[in-house]
Amino acid sequence: MHGYFQLVTTPKGTGIRVFAPTDGDEPLNVNDVRDYLEDKKIEYDVVVINDAVAKASEDVVMFSEAQILPEREYIKLDVSKDRMQVTAVFFPPTEGGELLTEKEVMDTLNYRKFIYGIQTDNIHKFFEHREYCKKMVICQGREVVQGKNAYVEYHFNTNLRARPTLREDGSVDYFHLNLINNVNEGDLLATLHPEVPGQPGKNVHGEDIKPASVKSDFIKYGKNTIISEDKLTLTAETSGHVVLKDGKVTVSNVLTLENVDVSTGNIDYEGSVEVKGIVASNFSVKAGGNIVVKGIVEDATLEAGSDIILECGVKAGGNIISGGNVVTKFVENATITAKGSITSESILHSKVSSGTEISVSGKRGFIAGGRVCASDCITAKVLGSDMGANTIVEVGADPDIKIRLKELQKNIALAQKNIESIKPTIDGFTKMLKSGAKFAPSQVANVKKLVELNKTLNESIQKDSQEYSELMEKLSDAKDASVIVEGTAYPGTTVNIGELSMIVKKPIKYSKFVVKDGDVRLAPI
């Protein structure tokens, strides 16, 4: 039995009797007594009440000379902030006072509009065995069950990055890069897990609580794949290399050539291309998948949808464009642009740009001359040269992002200007239409076109604004970019991080260039 109290009225005034708990239950909380007296507007002496509750002797302790009218048995209801639960505390009547009936309690709940999840068993239990000053749940809502968004599970590595192995002699092993997702015919490539709708809840007032909406999804697939009839699984139609590009799963075959020269002409292939020899000057190789060249790339152009691996390197005039990663032995007077990482043993007088990171390692590991840019990080043994080669290394946001931001700003401004120019016409027409004016069919048609244009412009602004916000978020990540020098950075080297810059004045060894306190500073590796 929970500890409780009872008011007693005597000729001398009003007193309180406090009952100690039994069977290890909780003692009476003095706040329950004070709340009850304040609810009933009964004056009391705080010290006397506190002492009486603390002693719990069952002897009547007088706390007021005033005689109160007999109080009936009392129920106090408390509803949670989310309206999902109602708790009740029953208080005994004044000694000799009237008891509540179960019907009165039910009527009270109904009057307070607590109509759902009534715990009738708990109410019955109280009236069968009254326990006072003990909190119990009297109404319980039904919790909402949130659903799950649909998602596609890919059964292959979707985020391949070039991680060549350094041999003991300092050379780089270009044959174990983990860049190829080999699959066999019939292999499972992707599984769609459909959305699971949520289940609505209901609060104690009987009001429905809707679960959050769930998003659907589907498997996007390309060539050499088979989607099941129920659209839930995707398998390989043929053996080859599986890639995920622009959210679409495709399996590509590999075209193998001895050389790319006058005997082959330019190559334009949807799959991957492997060249056992060289790519001669003035020729080009375009592949939807990977490009692997075992010989030298001369003054040629290579463009791949995925990774490019050059086991030797690229010479003067070479232009390399990769939708994935680039791994090459050396880069000399060439241009490389990659959405992924770039790995090389040396970069000399070249223009190199990576959407993620650039690593120049191996025996030499130098970047000398030219401009080398990466979104996240550039790591090299040597930056610049003791001959004072003009070397610029830059990390931060992808340069393409800055260009796109300017385009979006221009598009949004132009759309807003057009909206402002047609707004007076639409508003004036609407106002005159409400006043009862009549218009020719041609006038109505022209205004309808303006209304449709206004809608299209607003949708364009919303779409461009969302892309602008996403790109700005990426741009803000520039503060975490860094340049790491594992050997020496020579004077004359320029290090740019985002919009900040530092020119190396004296040799710097074993350091990391980072942004700190609004400037480019050095930090230990």
Side-chain angles (χ1 to χ4, degrees):
M1 177 75 75
H2 196 280
Y4 68 101
F5 72 96
Q6 185 178 35
L7 297 186
V8 179
T9 301
T10 70
K12 294 182 180 180
T14 304
I16 184 172
R17 180 181 286 121
V18 179
F19 298 86
T22 59
D23 301 325
D25 214 330
E26 294 183 18
L28 174 65
N29 188 326
V30 69
N31 290 329
D32 288 340
V33 181
R34 295 167 66 174
D35 289 344
Y36 174 86
L37 294 174
E38 288 170 7
D39 283 351
K40 296 297 182 179
K41 294 181 173 51
I42 299 172
E43 295 184 357
Y44 62 94
D45 186 312
V46 174
V47 175
V48 173
I49 293 298
N50 289 348
D51 289 342
V53 172
K55 292 177 181 178
S57 66
E58 295 190 23
D59 294 329
V60 177
V61 177
M62 304 302 294
F63 64 88
S64 174
E65 294 181 357
Q67 288 185 330
I68 64 170
L69 294 174
E71 292 286 350
R72 299 185 70 214
E73 194 175 50
Y74 175 63
I75 180 174
K76 183 176 182 180
L77 302 177
D78 184 36
V79 61
S80 61
K81 288 183 178 180
D82 60 6
R83 299 183 294 175
M84 292 298 291
Q85 188 180 78
V86 178
T87 55
V89 177
F90 285 86
F91 295 90
T94 306
E95 192 175 61
E98 292 180 3
L99 298 176
L100 288 171
T101 66
E102 192 167 339
K103 181 179 183 303
E104 286 179 293
V105 172
M106 299 301 290
D107 289 344
T108 299
L109 294 178
N110 187 61
Y111 176 78
R112 296 278 298 274
K113 296 184 180 180
F114 299 139
I115 59 175
Y116 181 81
I118 297 175
Q119 307 295 296
T120 53
D121 288 345
N122 287 350
I123 297 172
H124 291 327
K125 184 179 178 181
F126 170 79
F127 282 99
E128 289 174 0
H129 182 68
R130 282 175 158 82
E131 283 192 75
Y132 297 114
C133 301
K134 184 175 183 178
K135 185 181 291 187
M136 71 174 183
V137 177
I138 202 168
C139 291
Q140 181 64 58
R142 184 180 70 232
E143 294 289 343
V144 65
V145 178
Q146 299 295 349
K148 295 181 180 179
N149 292 331
Y151 68 96
V152 177
E153 178 186 5
Y154 298 102
H155 302 287
F156 58 92
N157 188 358
T158 61
N159 187 24
L160 297 176
R161 275 197 175 189
R163 297 296 184 201
T165 304
L166 267 178
R167 298 191 182 98
E168 291 184 2
D169 63 358
S171 62
V172 180
D173 181 1
Y174 292 95
F175 299 94
H176 299 88
L177 304 174
N178 193 32
L179 288 177
I180 306 297
N181 282 319
N182 289 310
V183 294
N184 296 316
E185 180 181 348
D187 282 356
L188 180 64
L189 304 178
T191 301
L192 172 64
H193 297 270
E195 67 271 20
V196 179
Q199 298 178 11
K202 197 179 285 287
N203 64 25
V204 294
H205 295 302
E207 299 167 337
D208 288 333
I209 305 171
K210 294 182 179 180
S213 59
V214 294
K215 297 179 180 178
S216 60
D217 204 350
F218 61 94
I219 300 174
K220 298 177 184 177
Y221 58 95
K223 62 186 180 69
N224 297 326
T225 61
I226 301 174
I227 191 73
S228 62
E229 288 186 6
D230 58 9
K231 310 294 184 184
L232 296 180
T233 57
L234 186 71
T235 53
E237 188 177 32
T238 184
S239 298
H241 173 63
V242 60
V243 294
L244 180 67
K245 183 179 180 183
D246 297 328
K248 182 185 291 186
V249 181
T250 60
V251 176
S252 61
N253 299 319
V254 179
L255 174 65
T256 303
L257 304 165
E258 290 298 324
N259 295 294
V260 175
D261 51 20
V262 292
S263 64
T264 63
N266 293 330
I267 303 298
D268 189 351
Y269 186 63
E270 290 186 358
S272 295
V273 175
E274 180 178 330
V275 182
K276 294 182 178 180
I278 68 167
V279 179
S281 295
N282 301 319
F283 286 91
S284 67
V285 178
K286 185 175 181 180
N290 300 317
I291 295 177
V292 177
V293 182
K294 296 183 179 294
I296 293 289
V297 176
E298 298 176 355
D299 181 9
T301 298
L302 272 58
E303 184 175 354
S306 294
D307 303 310
I308 295 178
I309 303 169
L310 310 179
E311 293 189 13
C312 287
V314 54
K315 280 189 171 183
N319 184 21
I320 310 299
I321 303 168
S322 170
N325 308 300
V326 172
V327 178
T328 178
K329 190 146 183 124
F330 68 85
V331 184
E332 182 178 330
N333 291 296
T335 300
I336 295 182
T337 304
K339 288 187 177 180
S341 64
I342 297 175
T343 304
S344 178
E345 288 189 14
S346 63
I347 299 176
L348 178 63
H349 299 299
S350 296
K351 184 178 180 181
V352 179
S353 177
S354 163
T356 57
E357 59 185 343
I358 295 175
S359 177
V360 184
S361 54
K363 286 183 177 180
R364 294 178 291 176
F366 65 79
I367 298 174
R371 189 183 194 97
V372 178
C373 308
S375 294
D376 302 334
C377 179
I378 295 176
T379 302
K381 283 187 176 180
V382 178
L383 290 179
S385 71
D386 54 2
M387 302 296 291
N390 184 21
T391 306
I392 299 173
V393 291
E394 181 176 355
V395 290
D398 187 335
D400 290 340
I401 291 180
K402 296 179 181 179
I403 296 173
R404 181 57 180 161
L405 284 171
K406 291 182 179 178
E407 291 175 351
L408 291 170
Q409 284 178 325
K410 185 177 179 181
N411 293 344
I412 292 170
L414 181 60
Q416 289 174 335
K417 182 179 179 181
N418 288 334
I419 288 174
E420 290 299 320
S421 68
I422 64 177
K423 187 175 183 294
T425 303
I426 296 175
D427 291 346
F429 181 87
T430 303
K431 186 177 180 181
M432 293 176 69
L433 193 63
K434 288 181 179 180
S435 66
K438 295 183 179 181
F439 297 91
S442 60
Q443 291 177 305
V444 174
N446 288 334
V447 172
K448 283 184 177 179
K449 289 181 181 179
L450 291 178
V451 170
E452 189 62 32
L453 176 60
N454 183 73
K455 179 182 177 183
T456 302
L457 290 170
N458 277 293
E459 289 174 349
S460 174
I461 289 174
Q462 184 177 1
K463 181 182 177 182
D464 288 347
S465 295
Q466 182 177 352
E467 183 182 354
Y468 186 88
S469 298
E470 292 171 353
L471 292 178
M472 284 300 293
E473 187 174 342
K474 289 184 180 180
L475 194 62
S476 67
D477 292 337
K479 64 180 182 298
D480 297 323
S482 61
V483 175
I484 299 173
V485 181
E486 298 174 337
T488 303
Y490 285 99
T493 300
T494 301
V495 177
N496 298 327
I497 302 181
E499 304 299 327
L500 304 174
S501 182
M502 171 191 279
I503 298 176
V504 177
K505 302 294 186 183
K506 60 182 179 179
I508 295 172
K509 294 181 179 289
Y510 314 113
S511 298
K512 177 164 64 173
F513 295 84
V514 297
V515 172
K516 185 178 180 182
D517 299 329
D519 204 350
V520 178
R521 299 181 184 276
L522 295 176
I525 297 177

